[in-house]
Amino acid sequence: MDESFGPEYVRPAQKDCPRCACCTVDLCDRGRDSIMQCAGLTPAEHKGTVRGCPCSAVTTPRTAAWRAAQVRVTLLARELPVSEQAEDVLRALADSREVDTDDGGLLPQLTARGLAELQGLRPVITELGRTYLAARGDVRSRAVVEVVDVDRRARTARVTVAAWRPDEPVTVLLDQITSDTGLDADMLPGRLLEAEANTEAPTADRLVLTGLRAGGDGRTGARQ
């Protein structure tokens, strides 16, 4: 006799993401806000399908992975730059000049850091490479930063930078702030911080904050 244990549960199908051909809407919504990207939030058997999803990629502006990469490359440029010879190669690529691919390992030094890549057999600079070169030339100085608000779901915070554009909030990864300052997310709204910033940046996407730290008692009167 067959035993019946009730109706079989079938998980409802999830909607495909309209912005890519590899993920569901839910996965891309989560991947966009995670430095792990879509592939890092996917079971092992499906990672190959979603790896490189543009909705969460390092190369897609304003994803969590992109924001983290801007900080990483800026710190690389300021604190642990590539060799002068490798930087000369990178500048040549930025100027669309031909470079010697048999260069004694300089190109691998750049590609390993995501500053250059091969398109076919031709080396080209990446957007991260351009960020690196900009960071090498930027004037960076300490600046007062005020946390306007925090989005726990997206793991971001909106901040204003007085020395840049005090009335234009910019988005920063929440985990960067809490990691740098040691402050809990609940303590951040209305908090005054200090950071190193390229205050001559032309746009919010080019403004990169590093070395965040709490300053004084850190509170503003308006948002206490």
Side-chain angles (χ1 to χ4, degrees), residues 115-217:
L115 307 180
E117 64 184 9
L118 291 176
Q119 291 184 356
L121 297 177
R122 185 170 68 93
V124 297
I125 190 172
T126 63
E127 286 304 312
L128 280 180
R130 296 187 187 281
T131 298
Y132 174 93
L133 291 179
R136 291 288 289 159
D138 281 344
V139 175
R140 297 185 65 80
S141 57
R142 300 302 297 181
V144 176
V145 175
E146 180 181 353
V147 182
V148 178
D149 52 39
V150 166
D151 186 336
R152 282 183 172 273
R153 186 200 64 78
R155 303 299 301 169
T156 58
R158 291 193 310 151
V159 306
T160 55
V161 182
W164 182 65
R165 297 175 189 172
D167 298 322
E168 183 177 337
V170 296
T171 301
V172 180
L173 289 175
L174 179 58
D175 292 331
Q176 179 191 359
I177 300 178
T178 57
S179 176
D180 280 5
T181 65
L183 298 173
D184 185 83
D186 291 335
M187 303 170 62
L188 292 177
R191 187 91 188 191
L192 289 180
L193 310 172
E194 292 182 358
E196 188 175 278
N198 52 331
T199 55
E200 297 178 2
T203 66
D205 284 348
R206 279 277 292 110
L207 182 70
V208 181
L209 306 182
T210 59
L212 288 139
R213 69 185 184 196
D217 64 8

Side-chain angles (χ1 to χ4, degrees), residues 76-144:
L76 175 70
R78 307 296 291 196
E79 299 177 4
L80 195 64
V82 299
S83 67
E84 290 185 16
Q85 296 87 346
E87 188 168 311
D88 287 343
V89 171
L90 191 62
R91 293 188 184 281
L93 294 177
D95 295 336
S96 299
R97 289 183 275 129
E98 292 291 328
V99 300
D100 182 4
T101 56
D102 185 19
D103 57 11
L106 297 180
L107 274 174
Q109 187 179 154
L110 298 173
T111 56
R113 291 165 173 78
L115 307 180
E117 64 184 9
L118 291 176
Q119 291 184 356
L121 297 177
R122 185 170 68 93
V124 297
I125 190 172
T126 63
E127 286 304 312
L128 280 180
R130 296 187 187 281
T131 298
Y132 174 93
L133 291 179
R136 291 288 289 159
D138 281 344
V139 175
R140 297 185 65 80
S141 57
R142 300 302 297 181
V144 176

